[in-house]
Amino acid sequence: MTKKHNVFSLFSVLFLTVTLGFAQDKTVPFFADGEAQPVQGFTDTNDWIRHDLWVETTFDTDEDGKPDRMHVAVTRPKQTDTEGLKLPIVYVTSPYFAGVAADLPGVMWEVEHELGEIGKERVHPEVKRRGERPIISNSHLRKWVPRGYIVVHSSSPGTGLSDGSPTIGGPNEALAPKAVIDWLCGRAKGFTERDGNEPVDAFWSTGKVGMTGTSFNGTLPLAAATTGVEGLEAIIPIAPNTSYYHYYRSNGLVRSPGGYLGEDIDVLYDFVHSGAEDKRPGNNKRVRDTEMKNGMDRQTGDLNDFWNNRDYLNQMAPMKAALLMSHGFNDWNVMPEHSNRIYQKAKAMGLQTQLYYHQNGHGGPPPMIMMNRWFTHYLHGIDNGVENDKQAWIVRENDKHDNPTAYDAYPNPNAEDVTLFLNKGGNNIGALSTKQNKRQKMETLVDDFNISAKEHAQVSSSKNRLLYATPHLTRDLHISGEAEVTISLTSSKAAANLSIMLVSLPYEEDAKVITDNIITRGWADPKNYKSIRESEPLKKGKFYDVTFKLQPDDQIIRAGQQIGLIIFSSDKEFTLHPKPGTELTIDLDKTRLTLPVVGGLKALTKATE
């Protein structure tokens, strides 16, 4: 990946952007160093043509007897009219464009109750739609239109001026962008009005489409790609939610996304339901109050068909689009596993795939040079060699977002699993070592949701958590991949939360970057020790081996730090809050941490000598 243009290339761009349109009859896209460059003839926003329309779909989710139509807005250079220019499309679709529900008291599910119970009925807010025709959104225009693209926006089903109902991961949310792409490629019908019959054709489209977006807007490009729709050549999902089970549950546990305690799939439905007011009651009855209520299961948290059908990993077989994923390793809202699981599957399928990870939180696109090269190659057809670039691009600690380090793949191909064992003393700080001491004593923690994970990490002694740490590192240690824990435990009650956090010690209150403290974390329901599809009450005195992966990470732990494993029960920020007092007893002989270390056991041994 070329990081900077040379002086000659920059001069050429400036010269050509000034002269294009004068030295030749037609204004056309211009490329340098494998990237589409701004062209003067495309940059004047006053010359852009902006119009909206409705695309007819193949579904009727508001059940009014007519195919749902999606509201679509187009922004294109004037040359697509005056000079017959055809250009590729950058397409962004979202349920958020027309506004969202207010954050009123009671809209989230109550979390302070015993496990296996459901909190009191929550408040259902109404969305007041905003926005006027013909503009749905102004996002991405200044980035892509001057570089020779047409930018298209659409509102998701049941939002804005689009027909239908939100389903939060249902089939219509993949088929809606598919219909828009079909229209851009001449295979579907577009109309000037929501209920009209005057047709609109995308005569200015080359039939090459790329999609991008962040969070829910990053989920929908993947959803569209899983349909295998012809014409969708490349996608750049940023922090996408690829599985609603993984978003609202974790290994059988009811777990909220970070920052949204008590949110669940029906809360998100209410949050985005900005469509026609007269259709909302029927949509609510069918989707929220029937399908979601019967399927979401806040009592057990088990995986079921409702959740399985909202997992795009299970729908990837038809996918053909080239995939550039972007995510933050410290995104505790849409967690980094969402991108990794799709990247791994796409790679196994032989799709053109790259992955960009940074060290921060939610959002964060790849550098513009990466996105530009991706769309330049797959939409404009320029042979810039992007398909031969390294697969994984990771922003190292304290580096800038536009300066990632390239690796052959993720996890780092030189990473090897190293097993670490727990040695007694966890209510203070026990040892975390590659050597296992036999016949360790059992150690017990007492659940108390009032104590935060950060507090668990900062205290040197506590009955409410178990903490085990490596010796101080004598040299930097690189971790890359998914750590895994096996916790052998018994519970004093029939149900308990289980939370894990891997930290870098000392846990610095004034850390400059988040990676100074948190390495990774994870959550599980011990009742699902057999399977996330099957749970059973815990029997007091019986030990259960619970094995699960923590969130993926790629981090260099600095010399002088210790790696600490914290075992606790309820997580104040993420899990339900049962009454304090549940005791978890851990069998140290059968409990272990598997850590993906670059250089394997040899590297870890040298770093802890």
Side-chain angles (χ1 to χ4, degrees):
M1 180 177 73
T2 305
K3 296 205 172 186
K4 298 190 182 294
H5 302 299
N6 58 42
V7 174
F8 176 78
S9 296
L10 287 173
F11 176 80
S12 301
V13 172
L14 292 172
F15 177 77
L16 285 170
T17 55
V18 170
T19 58
L20 272 173
F22 295 95
Q24 55 189 50
D25 293 333
K26 293 188 176 182
T27 307
V28 295
F30 171 69
F31 308 94
D33 293 336
E35 298 179 66
Q37 304 295 331
V39 173
Q40 185 183 21
F42 300 150
T43 57
D44 189 346
T45 60
N46 294 319
D47 289 340
W48 291 351
I49 298 169
R50 307 196 69 172
H51 58 97
D52 67 341
L53 65 140
W54 279 262
V55 168
E56 190 168 274
T57 71
T58 57
F59 53 83
D60 175 20
T61 51
D62 54 21
E63 296 191 359
D64 63 357
K66 300 179 294 183
D68 293 341
R69 291 184 178 184
M70 297 299 105
H71 187 212
V72 178
V74 178
T75 303
R76 51 192 175 92
K78 67 177 181 180
Q79 291 84 359
T80 54
D81 267 3
T82 61
E83 299 176 12
L85 181 65
K86 293 180 182 289
L87 293 172
I89 316 299
V90 173
Y91 173 31
V92 185
T93 185
S94 173
Y96 298 139
F97 289 145
V100 294
D103 186 14
L104 302 174
V107 299
M108 299 292 190
W109 282 96
E110 187 179 62
V111 297
E112 286 197 25
H113 57 76
E114 294 305 302
L115 304 182
E117 297 178 358
I118 297 179
K120 65 182 180 181
E121 184 63 31
R122 62 181 192 81
V123 173
H124 296 296
E126 288 287 331
V127 184
K128 184 177 181 181
R129 190 186 70 80
R130 61 172 172 79
E132 300 293 334
R133 295 181 59 187
I135 297 171
I136 292 178
S137 172
N138 290 311
S139 68
H140 298 272
L141 299 183
R142 294 183 182 275
K143 183 181 292 183
W144 298 113
V145 176
R147 289 179 166 84
Y149 296 89
I150 295 163
V151 175
V152 169
H153 294 91
S154 74
S155 290
S156 294
T159 72
L161 297 179
S162 287
D163 295 334
S165 173
T167 55
I168 316 300
N172 66 332
E173 291 183 357
L175 294 174
K178 176 185 183 298
V180 174
I181 295 166
D182 281 334
W183 173 73
L184 289 167
C185 296
R187 298 186 298 267
K189 296 178 181 179
F191 301 95
T192 57
E193 299 295 334
R194 191 173 191 169
D195 297 313
N197 294 312
E198 182 180 347
V200 182
D201 294 325
F203 60 87
W204 28 259
S205 168
T206 63
K208 300 287 186 182
V209 182
M211 294 185 71
T212 190
T214 299
S215 198
F216 206 145
N217 302 4
T219 300
L220 296 174
L222 178 64
T226 62
T227 69
V229 59
E230 295 290 338
L232 181 56
E233 304 297 329
I235 60 174
I236 307 177
I238 301 161
N241 177 354
T242 64
S243 160
Y244 285 94
Y245 184 84
H246 285 78
Y247 189 57
Y248 290 117
R249 307 287 184 266
S250 181
N251 299 299
L253 196 70
V254 175
R255 188 217 63 208
S256 305
Y260 301 94
L261 192 63
E263 186 183 319
D264 212 322
I265 193 167
D266 61 334
V267 178
L268 185 54
Y269 169 94
D270 282 339
F271 189 67
V272 304
H273 195 189
S274 60
E277 285 84 351
D278 63 326
K279 300 292 178 63
R280 294 184 194 180
N283 293 342
N284 293 343
K285 182 178 180 180
R286 287 187 304 274
V287 179
R288 185 191 68 196
D289 302 334
T290 303
E291 182 182 2
M292 290 182 175
K293 183 178 180 180
N294 294 338
M296 58 193 282
D297 183 12
R298 283 185 67 83
Q299 287 181 293
T300 73
D302 294 350
L303 178 65
N304 56 28
D305 290 344
F306 170 84
W307 292 112
N308 225 28
N309 292 335
R310 284 169 164 79
D311 187 336
Y312 292 111
L313 184 74
N314 300 330
Q315 303 169 30
M316 286 179 64
M319 183 169 162
K320 300 187 290 288
L323 174 67
L324 170 58
M325 306 284 286
S326 178
H327 221 118
F329 281 124
N330 286 281
D331 186 347
W332 304 115
N333 175 3
V334 183
M335 299 191 192
E337 66 178 336
H338 283 272
S339 287
N340 182 51
R341 60 204 297 273
I342 299 299
Y343 160 76
Q344 300 296 344
K345 178 67 177 289
K347 187 169 62 170
M349 291 171 61
L351 297 177
Q352 288 294 326
T353 308
Q354 290 181 24
L355 182 66
Y356 169 87
Y357 266 128
H358 56 83
Q359 302 291 343
N360 295 103
H362 190 50
M368 181 58 187
I369 187 173
M370 290 187 72
M371 294 190 292
N372 197 344
R373 282 168 55 79
W374 202 253
F375 282 160
T376 293
H377 177 70
Y378 290 106
L379 303 187
H380 278 293
I382 301 301
D383 185 11
N384 58 11
V386 70
E387 73 277 16
N388 299 318
D389 286 351
K390 297 284 190 180
Q391 269 197 10
W393 299 83
I394 296 174
V395 179
R396 293 266 51 100
E397 296 74 5
N398 300 309
D399 281 351
K400 294 182 179 180
H401 276 231
D402 61 356
N403 186 33
T405 299
Y407 297 91
D408 289 335
Y410 179 80
N412 189 304
N414 295 320
E416 298 175 11
D417 286 342
V418 178
T419 300
L420 298 172
F421 302 96
L422 283 54
N423 295 304
K424 63 183 180 180
N427 290 127
N428 299 305
I429 302 179
L432 189 61
S433 171
T434 56
K435 295 180 180 179
Q436 184 178 26
N437 294 329
K438 297 294 185 181
R439 297 182 181 179
Q440 295 284 308
K441 292 181 179 179
M442 310 294 179
E443 298 201 320
T444 299
L445 64 92
V446 180
D447 183 27
D448 188 346
F449 72 84
N450 294 292
I451 304 172
S452 70
K454 179 176 74 171
E455 291 173 303
H456 285 314
Q458 290 177 320
V459 296
S460 59
S461 179
S462 172
K463 68 177 182 179
N464 304 113
R465 60 91 178 116
L466 299 173
L467 170 57
Y468 305 89
T470 65
H472 288 85
L473 301 181
T474 57
R475 60 180 70 187
D476 291 352
L477 187 71
H478 189 173
I479 296 170
S480 179
E482 294 174 299
E484 183 177 86
V485 292
T486 294
I487 310 293
S488 183
L489 61 81
T490 185
S491 172
S492 64
K493 292 186 179 180
N497 292 316
L498 177 60
S499 302
I500 300 294
M501 190 159 74
L502 204 62
V503 296
S504 181
L505 298 174
Y507 198 98
E508 301 171 2
E509 183 67 37
D510 59 348
K512 293 181 180 179
V513 293
I514 194 168
T515 51
D516 284 343
N517 290 331
I518 300 173
I519 299 174
T520 184
R521 60 202 315 172
W523 305 263
D525 187 344
K527 300 195 311 298
N528 292 85
Y529 71 98
K530 289 181 180 178
S531 165
I532 58 173
R533 277 190 171 271
E534 178 185 359
S535 58
E536 62 183 54
L538 304 175
K539 295 180 180 179
K540 188 175 181 179
K542 180 178 179 180
F543 277 83
Y544 301 87
D545 292 345
V546 186
T547 299
F548 59 99
K549 293 183 182 296
L550 308 183
Q551 290 296 316
D553 193 43
D554 192 295
Q555 187 174 154
I556 296 174
I557 314 301
R558 298 171 301 168
Q561 300 289 99
Q562 294 174 278
I563 298 173
L565 173 68
I566 303 175
I567 304 172
F568 57 115
S569 185
S570 298
D571 191 322
K572 185 177 182 179
E573 298 174 285
F574 293 93
T575 69
L576 298 177
H577 295 171
K579 184 179 178 180
T582 301
E583 293 185 357
L584 294 184
T585 299
I586 309 299
D587 183 345
L588 299 187
D589 287 339
K590 295 182 179 180
T591 297
R592 62 204 62 201
L593 165 69
T594 302
L595 200 61
V597 178
V598 176
L601 179 59
K602 184 178 181 181
L604 180 61
T605 301
K606 286 185 176 180
T608 54
E609 287 177 340

